Amino acid sequence: MTGPPTAGTRPDEVRRHNRTALLRRLHVGGPCTRAELAAELGLNRSTIKALVDGLAEGGLVVEQVSAKRLGAGRPSLLVLPQPRALWVLAVDVGVEQTTVAAVGFGGEVLGSRTWTLSRGASSVQDVVGKVALAARRLADRLGGSPVGAGVSVPGVVRRDGYVHEAPNLHWTGVHLGELLSTALRRPVLVGNDAELGALAEHTRGVARQAADMVFVSVDVGVGGGVISERAAVRGTGGSVGELGHMVVRPGGRSCYCGCRGCWETEVGEDALCRALSLPEGSARELVVSELRSLGEQPELALYRLREFTDWLALGLINVVNLLGPELVVLGDLLAELPPVIVDEVAEEVRQRSLVSRAVGGIRITTSSLGPEAKIIGAAELAFEQAL
């Protein structure tokens, strides 16, 4: 709820604050009546009317009669965000594919373009060029320009877009944000892919009601995003969340980071392929198909994925003990795990985590956004500034 303005606040600052709160409510919460907006934002109806009228004049919203009647009298007007009036560019730079999407006010995907990549063989210049081309084509199709851009990258990255390291892309010391800003001719915000997965789930997914959550992502690598007290935890250089490089098996397999026995070597995509008796580097579609098949055979799933389940549980026990979230969301390939495996892992964490036993109520669930989480997170990163 919006609180009262502080002493000395200028009227234009109050209006801007209220307008931002209203835009944010419509963007995340969707259509609602003026009366609902007034109640949720703690503003009087005349203020809401002035704000909505201003947004309507600018084409950002339209009003229509709500099908829901609240007693006798005039019907309530429903305020609906107009996606094409305000849209951002969202980019997910993956290890094996990159997606560029136009996402409108309210979260609607207005269009997207995707292309495949050779693992670890994509140059920065090639990615920037293709993103710029895709952005131009989307803008031509929509007949306008994005008000911002957000980019997801699988690596250690600052918000200004400096990529310290993206090992699976073979990128080190890359000024990605600067290069994309020049190519797109607008400011670009960049975030770690798992961090943006957490943002997406917290804004639009299964973690909307959670104040503290951890998003654990398994694609080619393993990453993590952390939300604490409803705010993202990033660290000074954007390095919070490198969960894949916890050492869980000293003397285990070599990891590209230079260590042995990182969690990523035991639960990453290649480890999952080994557990499924598939060649390392198998197509994602094949891995997902195999997991879904096992989902229909619980006993076989428990047998074939026993060792994988043990390592996944061990890592999550460490994560829960360290961060104490109320919710852990499993994303990307982990979201495709058979339900019996997720249940087994959750039970292991409940029994073996000190924090879980002491606090109780810690939940482990799969992503509700699936493979779209990172592109949605990139869009929300851009909207945070645009709104």
Side-chain angles (χ1 to χ4, degrees):
M1 180 177 291
T2 304
T6 57
T9 304
R10 297 196 305 270
D12 60 326
E13 291 177 335
V14 175
R15 285 193 297 271
R16 186 160 52 248
H17 172 81
N18 290 340
R19 184 174 185 271
T20 298
L22 178 59
L23 285 168
R24 186 71 186 166
R25 165 58 185 82
L26 291 171
H27 174 63
V28 175
C32 62
T33 65
R34 291 186 181 187
E36 289 168 336
L37 287 171
E40 291 183 28
L41 300 179
L43 300 173
N44 62 50
R45 295 198 176 198
S46 62
T47 299
I48 290 293
K49 181 182 185 305
L51 291 170
V52 171
D53 286 349
L55 295 179
E57 289 175 9
L60 293 175
V61 302
V62 295
E63 291 185 277
Q64 67 181 35
V65 176
S66 172
K68 181 173 62 176
R69 296 294 295 268
L70 300 176
R74 295 177 59 186
S76 299
L77 289 175
L78 196 65
V79 183
L80 297 91
Q82 295 300 285
R84 289 174 178 261
L86 183 71
W87 60 277
V88 301
L89 200 68
V91 183
D92 175 26
V93 180
V95 178
E96 296 176 329
Q97 73 173 30
T98 289
T99 298
V100 180
V103 181
F105 178 39
E108 180 182 344
V109 177
L110 304 173
S112 66
R113 294 179 178 271
T114 298
W115 63 93
T116 58
L117 307 168
S118 297
R119 186 186 292 191
S122 295
S123 70
V124 177
Q125 291 74 19
D126 182 53
V127 169
V128 170
K130 287 182 176 178
V131 167
L133 177 60
R136 287 196 296 273
R137 289 177 174 172
L138 287 169
D140 289 343
R141 174 182 164 187
L142 295 173
S145 299
V147 296
V151 183
S152 164
V153 177
V156 181
V157 56
R158 291 195 313 239
R159 186 54 54 88
D160 66 358
Y162 178 75
V163 180
H164 295 280
E165 187 173 12
N168 285 316
L169 294 175
H170 297 174
W171 292 0
T172 302
V174 174
H175 291 275
L176 182 64
E178 182 179 314
L179 293 171
L180 282 173
S181 293
T182 300
L184 299 175
R185 298 179 181 179
R186 61 185 25 82
V188 174
L189 297 176
V190 184
N192 168 268
D193 58 349
E195 172 203 343
L196 296 186
L199 174 62
E201 290 291 345
H202 189 246
T203 303
R204 298 191 176 276
V206 72
R208 292 184 69 164
Q209 304 303 318
D212 302 281
M213 59 88 68
V214 175
F215 180 80
V216 180
S217 164
V218 167
D219 196 346
V220 173
V222 175
V226 183
I227 301 289
S228 178
E229 297 182 340
R230 302 191 181 279
V233 178
R234 304 189 68 252
T236 304
S239 57
V240 170
E242 287 300 318
L243 305 179
H245 299 288
M246 294 185 296
V247 176
V248 297
R249 190 175 190 174
R253 290 175 178 266
S254 296
C255 181
Y256 59 78
C257 75
C259 293
R260 283 185 171 274
C262 290
W263 196 27
E264 186 166 304
T265 66
E266 303 300 334
V267 299
E269 184 181 65
D270 285 344
L272 190 52
C273 286
R274 293 194 301 270
L276 295 170
S277 300
L278 297 173
E280 292 185 6
S282 291
R284 183 188 179 98
E285 293 77 10
L286 181 58
V287 177
V288 170
S289 176
E290 190 71 14
L291 287 172
R292 289 178 179 174
S293 176
L294 284 177
E296 300 173 359
Q297 307 171 76
E299 293 301 321
L300 182 59
L302 287 169
Y303 173 75
R304 292 186 62 187
L305 296 177
R306 169 51 56 198
E307 186 175 2
F308 180 88
T309 300
D310 289 343
W311 289 117
L312 179 59
L314 177 61
L316 290 178
I317 290 165
N318 289 335
V319 169
V320 168
N321 281 341
L322 179 64
L323 299 171
E326 62 182 279
L327 177 67
V328 176
V329 179
L330 306 180
D332 286 310
L333 286 173
L334 292 182
E336 303 292 345
L337 288 174
V340 68
I341 299 298
V342 178
D343 292 342
E344 181 81 1
V345 167
E347 183 60 26
E348 282 288 303
V349 173
R350 278 192 291 268
Q351 290 183 5
R352 297 172 57 191
S353 162
L354 174 64
V355 170
S356 182
R357 293 200 310 271
V359 177
I362 293 175
R363 296 179 294 128
I364 296 178
T365 189
T366 53
S367 165
S368 62
L369 302 176
E372 304 301 316
K374 289 179 285 190
I375 202 76
I376 293 172
E380 291 305 322
L381 179 66
F383 270 118
E384 281 185 353
Q385 186 175 72
L387 295 182

